[in-house]
Every structure is written in C-alpha cells, then in structure tokens.
Amino acid sequence: MNIAIPSDNKQMQSIIDKVRNGERLTLEDGVFLYQSDDLLTIGQLANEVNLRKNGKKVYFIENMSLYFTNVCEAHCAFCNFRKDEGAPGAYTLSGQEMIEYVEQHFHPGVREFHIVGGHNPHVPFQYYVDSLKALNERFPEVTLKAYTAAEIDFFSRISGLSYKEVLEELMKVGLKSLTGGGAEILSDHYRKKMRVDKADVSQYLEVHRTAHNLGLRTHTTMLYGSIESHEDRIRHMMQIRELQDETNGFQVFIPLSMQPINPKAGIRRRNSAFEDLKTIAISRLMLDNIQHIKAYFINIGTQLTQVALTMGASDAHGTIVKEKISHAAGALTPEGITREDLLWLIKGAGRIPVERDTFYNEIKVYE
C-alpha cells in the first residue's frame, strides 16, 4: 500500500506518479531530484520502491577485504592508497604471505574475500592468477570476489590477453565475482580532469559486459562528491542501467562518498549527510532494474547507514575486518564492524537482518 506523499510541486508529483506506475525516470527527472531540497519526499519514495523490491529485509555478509599490493602505475587524483615501487610503505604480498594474514583474522563464518589492489606493473599477470589460486586452495569454502573492471583491463594490457581470456584464466583458479570499483564517474571529461589514468568509460562497461556474458554476477559503484555535476551522476546511473537492461548481471549498486585526502579535513571538505542520503535515494529511484542499493558504512558512517535503510538501501555491506582504501584517503569511520553490531544497526532501523552469500542467497534471517 502506498503512503500518501504530499507534494505541491508539479514536477515532483510527476516523478511520484511515474515511479508508482512503473515508468522509468529520465535524465531530467534525476537532475531535478538532485536539485530539490525535499529530501523527505525523495527518501519516502525510494523507501516505497525498496519495500516493493525487498520488503523489510536488509542484507549483509561476513567478509574480509584483502589487498595484495598497493603499488600502482595509475595516479588518480582522489587516491591516497597507491604507492610507487620502492616507496616507503609500498608492498606486494605473495599468496603465502596473504594466507598468513588471513589466518590471523579468519573465523569459520567468513564467506567472502573482497580483493582489490594497485595496478602493479612490476609483476606479471600470473602473479594475480597465483594470488587467487593460493587463497582458493587454502580456503575453498570462501567465495573469491576479486578485482575491479579497471584491474581486469590492466591485466589485459600487461598479458596481451582479451578481457574474456583474462576472466577465464581467473575463473579457472576460483574467481566467482568482480568487485564494483574503478567506475568513479563514468564521464570521459571527469576522468581526464581527475587523472583517472586507467580503464575508460567504455572499457569499464565492456569488462562487466564480458563478465556477465561469462556468467559472473558483479557489483558496480559510483564515486561522488568531487568535481562532477548532478547531470554527470545521473548519466553515470543511466549507463549502468542500460548495461543492466542488456545483461542483467549487476547485483548491487554502491554509491561511494568521496573521502578527503587528509583525515583531519573539516566537514566542508566532506560530503554532507544530506547529499549522501539523497544520492542513495536517487540511486534507488533511477536504477529500477538493479535489485539492491548498498549503504557503505565505511564512507558514510554507521549511523547514517542506519538512516539510509529507510531511504532506499537494502544492503549494509559486511564485516570487512580491516578496510584500507577509503581510510588511506581520510575516512573517519570504523575499519570493520562485528556481526552483532550489524544486527543491532539493521534492527534499529526497524528492518530484518539477513545474512547472505556473495550472490544474495539467504543464509540466515534474523526475525
């Protein structure tokens, strides 16, 4: 049953009617929502859509974030994780070294390894294959969700293999899904200005298209809050939506709130709570063909994540253990969270926590 959402604005009322009638929102609709200060109406409408898609269930996973190397050939303006080879703090772990790290933090409930890292040109593609192989052999029960589309493009360049061949080699050693990173903002102008010297817009989309055609279900992201316009953000969502129409391979869309390089940066250097919540809600309204929108507590904090669960988000991410990339860029949030805290957070929003696997199969429902 739809809740009455009062609006004396004709364009907002038109959007409400479109959403309730199952009509797809346009670029103009999305930009209008960003320019509106009526967060409550936008949030209520997104909540309505989410309840229709997912009921009151909010999903999470017991996972660990792993980073084999922080050496990277790219120099993206927003990244403070990357290092040059030989620089202080630079590292490249062997499979055995990563296994030793995992064993220090592992517990039997962990279902997924979330693996990303730098584009290290000083090791061959086989290094990245062997990294996954070592983990898969030691922890065969844990799903490998590894590498971004930008990393797959990088592997293709250093190996001379096609995207399909790169993915097939990784799938042979246990790859089951791709992470969503590397999207940033899907705009060539943005990528040039922000020195995103890695996979371009068409390459990012083509990697995911190839993965989907091989049967991999993947994640996708949007890193917002720097130089992009509201129109850039909506065009980003629409490109993801178009590929989803074609392949139906995206499981979740993850809006990532840009973090300042300096952890001591003041609030004026960070996205506002208003902007974060609005972006999650608008993502839910624009991306009508993607099942889940994630509220990423690493970037927006646990309390705002809880509010986001009433404004369109149906995924609270996972336990992580120790996140490094956003924290290298200045995130002030926890590096990980316990299962108990996640349950408390979800229940506190009046929602039903559901532990899932990588593919959103339900493991346990906490009524």
Side-chain angles (χ1 to χ4, degrees), residues 265-365:
I267 61 172
R268 286 175 292 170
R269 298 287 305 279
R270 298 176 184 273
N271 286 320
S272 69
F274 198 88
E275 191 77 0
D276 288 333
L277 289 173
K278 191 189 285 188
T279 297
I280 286 169
I282 292 172
S283 299
R284 179 63 287 163
L285 295 172
M286 292 298 300
L287 294 166
D288 51 67
N289 56 0
I290 292 183
Q291 190 70 22
H292 299 286
I293 304 296
K294 181 175 290 187
Y296 190 51
F297 74 83
I298 287 293
N299 285 33
I300 66 173
T302 50
Q303 290 176 306
L304 204 60
T305 291
Q306 190 177 55
V307 178
L309 301 181
T310 69
M311 292 193 171
S314 57
D315 189 305
H317 197 55
T319 49
I320 297 179
V321 179
K322 190 174 179 64
E323 195 279 339
K324 293 184 179 181
I325 293 178
S326 290
H327 285 87
L332 302 177
T333 54
E335 292 179 324
I337 193 170
T338 65
R339 174 201 295 257
E340 290 71 25
D341 283 346
L342 267 176
L343 295 176
W344 175 89
L345 183 150
I346 295 167
K347 288 181 177 179
R351 301 293 152 131
I352 302 167
V354 180
E355 184 176 357
R356 64 172 177 86
D357 66 10
T358 299
F359 311 103
Y360 286 84
N361 296 308
E362 297 181 2
I363 304 301
K364 183 175 181 180
V365 179

Side-chain angles (χ1 to χ4, degrees), residues 104-306:
Q104 293 172 13
H105 302 278
F106 189 81
H107 64 84
V110 172
R111 299 185 181 279
E112 174 187 281
F113 292 139
H114 175 105
I115 303 166
V116 293
H119 300 188
N120 186 344
H122 304 284
V123 291
F125 171 55
Q126 192 62 39
Y127 163 81
Y128 297 95
V129 175
D130 291 343
S131 296
L132 294 193
K133 183 178 180 182
L135 279 178
N136 193 44
E137 290 178 348
R138 174 62 184 82
F139 303 99
E141 74 283 7
V142 180
T143 301
L144 299 184
K145 185 182 76 183
Y147 306 134
T148 66
E151 286 174 277
I152 299 301
D153 174 72
F154 168 69
F155 299 158
S156 174
R157 284 192 286 110
I158 64 172
S159 67
L161 301 174
S162 67
Y163 293 160
K164 182 173 183 284
E165 291 167 333
V166 165
L167 289 165
E168 286 174 336
E169 288 302 305
L170 295 171
M171 290 168 71
K172 287 177 187 176
V173 294
L175 178 73
K176 295 294 194 295
S177 179
L178 295 184
T179 70
E184 324 317 355
I185 294 291
L186 295 175
S187 154
D188 290 325
H189 170 75
Y190 168 96
R191 297 172 98 77
K192 183 177 181 180
K193 193 116 178 177
M194 294 294 285
R195 305 198 310 274
V196 186
D197 46 352
K198 54 187 179 183
D200 64 22
V201 173
S202 62
Q203 289 166 335
Y204 178 89
L205 294 170
E206 184 58 31
V207 168
H208 280 280
R209 177 182 288 108
T210 304
H212 298 167
N213 289 337
L214 287 171
L216 296 176
R217 304 271 286 165
T218 69
H219 293 200
T220 188
T221 62
M222 178 180 76
L223 181 66
Y224 65 93
S226 58
I227 64 166
E228 82 282 353
S229 66
H230 290 151
E231 183 174 327
D232 287 335
R233 296 183 195 177
I234 298 301
R235 288 190 183 280
H236 177 110
M237 295 178 198
M238 291 176 70
Q239 289 180 87
I240 295 299
R241 191 171 70 181
E242 288 168 10
L243 181 55
Q244 182 74 342
D245 279 343
E246 177 187 333
T247 65
N248 196 34
F250 291 121
Q251 300 188 101
V252 59
F253 181 77
I254 311 160
L256 297 173
S257 185
M258 177 77 80
Q259 303 299 304
I261 293 295
N262 186 349
K264 296 180 180 178
I267 61 172
R268 286 175 292 170
R269 298 287 305 279
R270 298 176 184 273
N271 286 320
S272 69
F274 198 88
E275 191 77 0
D276 288 333
L277 289 173
K278 191 189 285 188
T279 297
I280 286 169
I282 292 172
S283 299
R284 179 63 287 163
L285 295 172
M286 292 298 300
L287 294 166
D288 51 67
N289 56 0
I290 292 183
Q291 190 70 22
H292 299 286
I293 304 296
K294 181 175 290 187
Y296 190 51
F297 74 83
I298 287 293
N299 285 33
I300 66 173
T302 50
Q303 290 176 306
L304 204 60
T305 291
Q306 190 177 55

Side-chain angles (χ1 to χ4, degrees), residues 27-71:
L27 174 67
E28 292 72 25
D29 292 331
V31 172
F32 170 81
L33 291 173
Y34 259 120
Q35 293 172 344
S36 169
D37 62 0
D38 192 355
L39 177 62
L40 292 181
T41 293
I42 298 168
Q44 276 185 280
L45 192 59
N47 184 52
E48 195 175 289
V49 171
N50 181 44
L51 289 175
R52 194 158 64 231
K53 281 184 173 289
N54 299 299
K56 288 196 168 186
K57 291 180 175 179
V58 171
Y59 295 81
F60 72 94
I61 189 168
E62 286 264 15
N63 64 347
M64 290 181 67
S65 287
L66 305 180
Y67 311 86
F68 273 92
T69 181
N70 63 353
V71 175

